[in-house]
Amino acid sequence: MSLSNSDQQVLNRVFNPEMPYEQSEAAAGQPLSDTELEIADMTEEERDRLSESKKLEVEAIHAIERGDLSGGLDSLNRCVSLTPHRASGYNNRAQALQLRGDRRGALDDLESALRLSRGSGRVACQALTQRGVIRRAEGRDDEARQDFEAAARLGGPFAKQMLVEMNPYAALCNQMLREVIGQLSRPSDSAEDCSS
């Protein structure tokens, strides 16, 4: 399975929270997740489980990037089993399930990610965006718009872009602009008359 550049960018946005690109915008001003705040209070065993869980997420990303979606899902399943209180594992597994075509499973995991993240932080922003994409694909535009609005409030640049795209006035303006640019780019008869 070969991933398109767009698919690769989506995977990077979802699976690589440490990437310095747009996600830094999404994370700006966001509180630390509960897991990050509680690390200091964890036992050594709990920290080891968290560390293993994060390794499994990275393993899953690499497997999916190689085209091994099944192997990636196996790693994400182990990640969620190991740390069922972490929203990130559910969010990442939802993306993999979506790539497999399992929208129902993806939506279930996104609900878990949103519940565990309490609707705030980077994971919530990503989960809301993913859910918005699924709902839009299902023709549930009002619900998708609500998800994109919530994700945009959390700083999600892709969600902001989707809101502009879904705005009927913006779509009309874009169509009119394309028509004007198209007319301007075609040589006109009057321009030929002026050159003689």
Side-chain angles (χ1 to χ4, degrees):
M1 175 174 117
S2 177
L3 298 176
S4 71
N5 187 38
S6 176
D7 288 341
Q8 185 65 46
Q9 288 176 356
V10 169
L11 281 174
N12 284 337
R13 287 180 184 161
V14 171
F15 288 133
N16 297 322
E18 303 305 319
M19 284 183 61
Y21 77 106
E22 298 163 41
Q23 273 201 335
S24 62
E25 293 174 30
Q30 294 301 316
L32 294 174
S33 69
D34 289 340
T35 301
E36 291 167 324
L37 289 173
E38 294 172 357
I39 287 176
D41 296 331
M42 287 182 174
T43 66
E44 186 174 339
E45 180 183 344
E46 290 170 326
R47 281 193 296 273
D48 288 345
R49 289 171 65 107
L50 177 61
S51 177
E52 179 63 22
S53 176
K54 289 180 178 184
K55 286 178 186 173
L56 286 166
E57 283 182 288
V58 170
E59 182 181 299
I61 294 162
H62 292 305
I64 293 168
E65 287 174 343
R66 288 189 316 269
D68 182 9
L69 185 56
S70 179
L73 273 168
D74 287 345
S75 294
L76 289 167
N77 287 334
R78 291 192 338 251
C79 168
V80 168
S81 293
L82 192 61
T83 53
H85 61 280
R86 283 188 70 233
S88 178
Y90 291 96
N91 184 64
N92 290 332
R93 188 171 68 179
Q95 179 64 32
L97 290 169
Q98 196 172 348
L99 289 171
R100 189 175 74 183
D102 181 1
R103 283 187 182 162
R104 181 74 258 148
L107 286 169
D108 289 345
D109 273 359
L110 292 171
E111 293 302 324
S112 294
L114 289 167
R115 179 179 43 78
L116 290 167
S117 69
R118 296 188 188 120
S120 66
R122 290 181 296 242
V123 174
C125 180
Q126 293 169 344
L128 286 162
T129 301
Q130 280 195 76
R131 191 173 70 180
V133 168
I134 292 172
R135 286 176 166 176
R136 185 159 189 226
E138 292 177 339
R140 298 161 55 192
D141 286 354
D142 289 339
E143 292 171 280
R145 188 173 294 108
Q146 290 173 356
D147 285 339
F148 291 138
E149 287 170 354
R153 282 191 300 274
L154 293 173
F158 182 76
K160 291 175 186 177
Q161 178 184 339
M162 292 306 296
L163 285 170
V164 169
E165 188 177 305
M166 292 178 75
N167 181 327
Y169 298 111
L172 180 60
C173 288
N174 285 336
Q175 179 185 354
M176 290 170 38
L177 185 59
R178 278 192 299 273
E179 289 172 7
V180 168
I181 290 173
Q183 290 172 357
L184 291 174
S185 64
R186 282 185 247 132
S188 67
D189 294 333
S190 61
E192 291 173 0
D193 292 341
C194 293
S195 62
S196 349

